[in-house]
Amino acid sequence: MSASIEAGLAPYAMHAGQSRGRRYPEPAAQARTEFQRDRDRIVHSTAFRRLEYKTQVFVNHEGDLFRTRLTHSLEVAQIARAIARNLRVNEDLVEAISLAHDLGHTPFGHAGQDALHEAMKPHGGFEHNLQSLRVVDELEERYGAFNGLNLTFETREGILKHCSLEHARTLGELGLRFIERRQPSLEAQIANLADEIAYNNHDVDDGLRSGLITLKQIEAIPLFARHAGEVRREFHDIADRRMIHETTRRMINALIVDLIGETRRRIAAVAPRSIDDVRAAPALVAFSDTMRADADALKRFLSEQLYRHYQVMRMTEKSRRIVRDLFAAFRDEPRLLPTDHRQRVETEGPRAIADYVAGMTDRYAIREHRRLFTVGEG
Ligand code: MG
């Protein structure tokens, strides 16, 4: 079945038939490849639905138009699939990895993750990539026979984008590539860079919409200026909102086209004949040097002007405090936790508190904080 669905893939693609399989063996899927099955399990998971109410830069209740982690994940999947199809590698696998890549994110994006990492330092720390893996390996409770979603090795490998060496040593086969400095599949490499293309561009869009950055500021950034100039030449008197969209869609397209071109060049130079050759080669999915420099300039701009904008910083600080307070309250008094979580704390310790807090959506964390710390609420 899967062989015919995957006909036409390049020899260096990850074929479902070559998968290293699932942690708990299951009968083969009947009308899908194993990677389509992974994708479907991810879409049906609780953690995936929660992405709707989690954010990256802006907090979920700040406006209806900003990206959430759910729409971000859909954008990543769309970009990654376009790249994969062009390179004749496995679209189903890149889709599964893309949709799952942020499942382990805490409420309030990086501020939440930093606070949780700080709180968990004496207990092994907190890494969001590792948490995404933990969600699909352990925390989802949906199947009779096992914890987690029992995904294939290749989807799990793609989800674990980064990992400290210390943690890699505890992960068996999955951690080996960090120790041996080997690459994951092309599909995992694609999902990783599609993530970057998606967030840089939607942060430009959301940043401009929020008024925290201005067109005048960003028109000093070459990548934006080039495409904005083109749009203005083509459409005189175009309204700002349309201009911004026309520009970001062209930037996304330019990044994708560049990535495909550079990756093709690298593949041609290395000539991998199988997934094993891909794993042994240096990173094959990449932007050209010029585009890399342009994309880095845009990233730097966003980090200086948007992520460190005082209004974003205020929210970041508040978010950090909420996560810190919640963790401390549950650590000091586990009886404040719902029964099943309290029982897990008794057997598993602080890690179970981190799991509980990390699983919260932005609005749930805010509500829970109010319930615990404001007299008259409950
Ligand atoms: Mg992401």
Side-chain angles (χ1 to χ4, degrees):
M1 174 62 73
S2 62
S4 63
I5 298 177
E6 294 190 333
L9 290 185
Y12 43 77
M14 183 63 224
H15 294 72
Q18 300 169 338
S19 170
R20 294 189 197 172
R22 304 177 186 277
R23 294 206 294 171
Y24 307 96
E26 292 184 64
Q30 297 210 308
R32 301 171 289 178
T33 70
E34 295 303 324
F35 300 139
Q36 287 179 300
R37 189 188 219 178
D38 280 358
R39 188 258 335 267
D40 297 347
R41 289 183 175 187
I42 292 158
V43 170
H44 286 279
S45 70
T46 310
F48 187 71
R49 283 194 296 281
R50 285 188 186 142
L51 293 177
E52 187 175 0
Y53 303 104
K54 292 193 181 199
T55 46
Q56 310 219 121
V57 179
F58 299 91
V59 172
N60 187 247
H61 65 270
E62 288 183 328
D64 292 342
L65 294 177
F66 299 120
R67 265 73 172 187
T68 65
R69 284 206 185 265
L70 180 62
T71 57
H72 162 69
S73 302
L74 296 175
E75 289 181 30
V76 175
Q78 175 208 22
I79 292 169
R81 284 183 59 187
I83 298 167
R85 186 176 298 193
N86 269 281
L87 297 171
R88 291 197 299 128
V89 301
N90 204 313
E91 270 186 72
D92 300 327
L93 177 57
V94 290
E95 188 180 17
I97 296 169
S98 303
L99 293 177
H101 85 283
D102 269 353
L103 288 180
H105 264 280
T106 58
F108 317 119
H110 293 289
Q113 120 111 15
D114 291 349
L116 212 45
H117 180 59
E118 202 48 48
M120 283 296 288
K121 258 190 188 155
H123 318 287
F126 181 91
E127 296 176 21
H128 62 87
N129 284 304
L130 208 53
Q131 190 69 9
S132 295
L133 186 69
R134 202 166 149 71
V135 167
V136 302
D137 279 357
E138 297 293 338
L139 300 179
E140 283 286 324
E141 297 176 325
R142 310 182 64 77
Y143 298 89
F146 45 76
N147 280 339
L149 304 177
N150 197 29
L151 303 180
T152 60
F153 174 88
E154 292 74 20
T155 300
R156 297 169 61 232
E157 171 195 50
I159 292 172
L160 193 65
K161 194 158 54 172
H162 310 287
C163 176
S164 62
L165 276 183
E166 185 194 344
H167 282 138
R169 290 193 194 97
T170 66
L171 293 171
E173 201 189 356
L174 204 64
L176 223 48
R177 80 172 162 98
F178 298 98
I179 299 161
E180 296 175 349
R181 297 178 182 279
R182 288 158 60 87
Q183 299 298 321
S185 66
L186 290 174
E187 288 81 356
Q189 297 179 41
I190 290 169
N192 186 12
L193 285 175
D195 185 24
E196 182 183 332
I197 295 175
Y199 68 67
N200 281 330
N201 284 282
H202 63 52
D203 288 352
V204 167
D205 193 24
D206 286 351
L208 288 166
R209 179 180 295 112
S210 66
L212 298 182
I213 52 177
T214 63
L215 264 177
K216 193 164 176 283
Q217 280 179 308
I218 199 171
E219 283 190 274
I221 304 304
L223 184 61
F224 190 93
R226 207 160 47 235
H227 296 284
E230 211 177 79
V231 172
R232 287 199 197 282
R233 277 192 296 280
E234 234 176 281
F235 305 99
H236 306 288
D237 305 325
I238 189 171
D240 283 355
R241 194 139 39 101
R242 286 180 196 255
M243 199 288 269
I244 293 163
H245 180 70
E246 274 290 341
T247 304
T248 47
R249 83 180 181 92
R250 284 163 201 236
M251 286 201 300
I252 294 173
N253 194 53
L255 286 157
I256 291 176
V257 169
D258 179 88
L259 185 83
I260 292 168
E262 177 64 21
T263 304
R264 281 211 178 109
R265 269 190 292 281
R266 292 187 182 205
I267 288 175
V270 171
R273 298 166 57 118
S274 68
I275 178 71
D276 291 336
D277 291 350
V278 168
R279 292 183 198 279
L284 294 174
V285 181
F287 295 113
S288 66
D289 289 345
T290 348
M291 187 58 99
R292 182 73 267 172
D294 276 351
D296 286 346
L298 177 64
K299 266 168 106 160
R300 264 196 312 278
F301 168 81
L302 286 171
S303 113
E304 283 157 18
Q305 303 301 326
L306 180 62
Y307 311 146
R308 278 182 237 148
H309 190 286
Y310 82 95
Q311 278 175 272
V312 173
M313 291 296 288
R314 284 180 180 198
M315 200 56 229
T316 304
E317 231 358 83
K318 221 186 288 180
S319 312
R320 194 171 300 175
R321 203 170 316 128
I322 291 175
V323 169
R324 194 165 52 211
D325 287 351
L326 288 175
F327 186 91
F330 296 133
R331 184 198 50 211
D332 296 346
E333 186 42 275
R335 280 175 299 183
L336 298 175
L337 285 162
T339 314
D340 49 336
H341 290 281
R342 195 196 64 223
Q343 282 162 352
R344 282 198 46 218
V345 174
E346 280 161 18
T347 50
E348 295 168 45
R351 182 63 55 190
I353 301 176
D355 289 340
Y356 180 57
V357 175
M360 292 180 184
T361 61
D362 296 2
R363 58 182 190 174
Y364 187 85
I366 293 169
R367 243 185 273 148
E368 189 78 332
H369 191 268
R370 211 180 291 140
R371 279 194 289 257
L372 286 172
F373 292 94
T374 308
V375 177
E377 296 275 341

